[in-house]
DNA sequence: CCAAAACAAGACATTTAGATCCGATATTCA
DNA sequence: TGAATATCGGATCTAAATGTCTTGTTTTGG
């Protein structure tokens, strides 16, 4: 139902939302998110073009979220990589259906609308703040990802 | 979001629900539903294997709905051709997430659950009975499809 | 300036969905 | 039985999504 690219992109932005202090390299992100590195690079390019992330080349460079997690919705990310295509006109090209869809396509579009609404209403900040024993991308329950990776670096 | 095959399959069963009296040939269905005939044939084979439709070979043969429209849900059709894959375990294979998904995947699965629920709750009969100026597959507002095609046959 | 680090961009390979074709098989009816 | 009608099943083709690779460009720091 959701493409692989969407799944990967969401993992990437979740990662970035927990690493706002400094740019993250594609390699580091790929390792944690378990996404093939070259493919992740391509997805990040797309997110960059859509203004979801910012990239910085050269030593010490990498990828940063373009805006605070509280202002970035799941829908924005999804629509950047694989837009939810609402059904606006009759797929059979029946002109007389024009404005109001037939009951069949109305139900399909309603489903799309529900998903769109749900994704529009959850921001990355909410996702990360949610009290839940499982932390996104992180193997260790209750331990914020940022803290964990920082600790790793020191060793 | 929904595959082409799902769209085609739904058109097909809607057609069949309006032609319960006698078997419909793939050709006739393809013409009305505007689905490529050879591809529709393959989709119908799948629906047949899943017990959604029954097929009858030979002269006067064709495809029939396997049960009354009131007992066939959109979900059954969707799941027969392109199943909605709920997220049951962590896609990253993080074992500690096992039972309860992380907030990210929980939201994605919630979206899938909403769609699943909506589709489970609408039967073909409901879709066709809904008071709506646009009739599925039919160009002429308010005219039931079955009547129209019968009229055509006489000419 | 030069070398290393990191992303950018496009070419290339692989896989899967979408679509087509054809010979085989089943069924009806004369 | 034989001819006509339809689906069945597999082989094939195409296009798009997914995944990989290579070369170039930007940036930093010695």
């Amino acid at each position: 139902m959701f493409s692989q690219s969407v799944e990967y992109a969401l993992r990437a932005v979740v990662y970035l939302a927990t690493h706002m202090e400094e740019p993250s390299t594609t390699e580091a992100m790929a390792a944690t998110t378990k996404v093939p590195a070259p493919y992740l690079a391509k997805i990040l390019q797309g997110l960059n073009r859509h203004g979801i992330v910012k990239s910085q080349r050269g030593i010490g460079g990498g990828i940063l979220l373009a805006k605070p997690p509280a202002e970035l919705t799941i829908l924005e990310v999804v629509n950047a990589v694989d837009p939810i295509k609402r059904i606006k006109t009759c797929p059979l090209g029946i002109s007389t259906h024009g404005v109001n869809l037939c009951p069949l396509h109305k139900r399909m579009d309603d489903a799309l609308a529900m998903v769109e609404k749900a994704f529009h209403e959850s921001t990355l900040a909410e996702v990360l703040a949610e009290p839940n024993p499982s932390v996104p991308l992180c193997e260790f329950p209750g331990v914020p990802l940022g803290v964990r990776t920082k600790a790793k670096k020191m060793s």
Side-chain angles (χ1 to χ4, degrees), chain A residues 10-61:
Chain A
L10 287 173
R11 289 188 204 172
V13 292
V14 163
Y15 181 98
L16 291 172
T18 62
H19 295 77
M20 296 294 288
E21 334 79 36
E22 53 183 3
S24 309
T25 69
T26 301
E27 282 304 327
M29 298 176 65
T32 299
T33 58
K34 297 179 184 169
V35 175
Y39 195 50
L40 178 59
K42 178 172 290 191
I43 288 171
L44 289 171
Q45 282 179 37
L47 292 178
N48 186 31
R49 285 193 209 95
H50 279 85
I52 308 281
V53 304
K54 284 179 299 189
S55 70
Q56 179 60 42
R57 295 206 250 201
I59 296 176

Side-chain angles (χ1 to χ4, degrees), chain A residues 111-143:
Chain A
L112 293 175
M114 284 192 308
V115 173
E116 197 173 56
K117 180 166 183 290
F119 283 178
H120 180 67
E121 284 170 355
S122 46
T123 68
L124 274 200
E126 281 177 317
V127 170
L128 292 171
E130 185 166 305
N132 185 316
S134 298
V135 179
L137 306 181
C138 182
E139 196 176 346
F140 307 96
V143 182

Side-chain angles (χ1 to χ4, degrees), chain A residues 43-98:
Chain A
I43 288 171
L44 289 171
Q45 282 179 37
L47 292 178
N48 186 31
R49 285 193 209 95
H50 279 85
I52 308 281
V53 304
K54 284 179 299 189
S55 70
Q56 179 60 42
R57 295 206 250 201
I59 296 176
I63 310 288
L64 274 174
L65 223 49
K67 51 180 171 179
E71 295 172 23
L72 182 57
T73 68
I74 292 186
L75 182 62
E76 285 177 87
V77 178
V78 170
N79 276 341
V81 296
D82 192 0
I84 291 179
K85 288 180 287 291
R86 293 286 300 277
I87 304 173
K88 297 191 185 66
T89 64
C90 173
L92 282 84
I94 297 178
S95 55
T96 50
H97 287 195

